[in-house]
Amino acid sequence: MPSPGHILVVCTGNICRSPMAEGLLKHALAGQPEPLKSLPVLSAGVAARPGEPISENSVVALKKVGIDISGQVSQPLTQDLLDNAVAVFGMTESHRAIIRMRARPAPAHLHLFRDFLPAPADHEIGDPYGGPLKVYEAARDEMVEAIPSVVAYLKTLLPAK
């Protein structure tokens, strides 16, 4: 495989779920050997407006686990982001379907963030937008649960040097 690009996490508006997943995955990969340790993690939204601030509850939910995403801003999903991604992770089946419908070509490694969890785990992460902090914390915890399986999958794509 050519030199790695980035990991891309996708949700709807890129202000709640995907920024949280980006922050959590960056934190997890920082403790991995190369090339995972240096692999950039980005996020985008299938219906995002550029430059929107991350929702306050997303920022607070991650601050509670020691991760600061307060400086992030939203960006729309583009073909360029998809083309340069080693792997793309959506939050729901609708995100995966939209990516498959819009992308030319569709990413080879397109999954849901929770795809690698064993049954009976729900593979979708619901949208906490507009909900109370506890809903954002629940979404965060669903992502945290999936992180080890996502990292294990990434290791199959990019083995340690």
Side-chain angles (χ1 to χ4, degrees):
M1 179 170 203
S3 65
H6 57 258
I7 301 301
L8 182 62
V9 188
V10 178
C11 71
T12 305
N14 192 217
I15 58 170
C16 298
R17 290 170 290 180
S18 59
M20 286 196 294
E22 176 186 344
L24 290 164
L25 195 51
K26 279 179 180 176
H27 179 76
L29 292 179
Q32 295 297 314
E34 295 295 351
L36 292 181
K37 183 177 191 164
S38 299
L39 193 60
V41 181
L42 306 174
S43 63
V46 296
R49 293 186 306 233
E52 293 288 319
I54 305 308
S55 78
E56 185 60 30
N57 280 344
S58 291
V59 172
V60 170
L62 257 63
K63 262 191 187 147
K64 286 186 166 193
V65 295
I67 299 171
D68 182 8
I69 60 168
S70 61
Q72 290 180 228
V73 293
S74 64
Q75 69 175 335
L77 181 64
T78 64
Q79 186 67 46
D80 188 54
L81 284 170
L82 292 169
D83 289 346
N84 292 299
V86 173
V88 179
F89 299 98
M91 296 291 130
T92 64
E93 286 296 345
S94 65
H95 298 134
R96 182 159 41 194
I98 290 168
I99 292 167
R100 284 183 176 143
M101 183 177 67
R102 289 185 189 168
R104 297 291 179 260
H109 301 287
L110 173 59
H111 304 281
L112 297 185
F113 202 76
R114 291 174 53 91
D115 263 356
F116 306 104
L117 291 173
D122 186 353
H123 289 199
E124 295 196 357
I125 298 172
D127 193 351
Y129 181 74
L133 179 59
K134 67 181 181 182
V135 176
Y136 286 77
E137 291 171 337
R140 176 203 63 208
D141 294 346
E142 290 175 358
M143 293 172 203
V144 167
E145 181 185 22
I147 291 282
S149 64
V150 170
V151 171
Y153 171 70
L154 292 173
K155 285 179 180 179
T156 69
L157 295 179
L158 300 166
K161 291 182 180 175

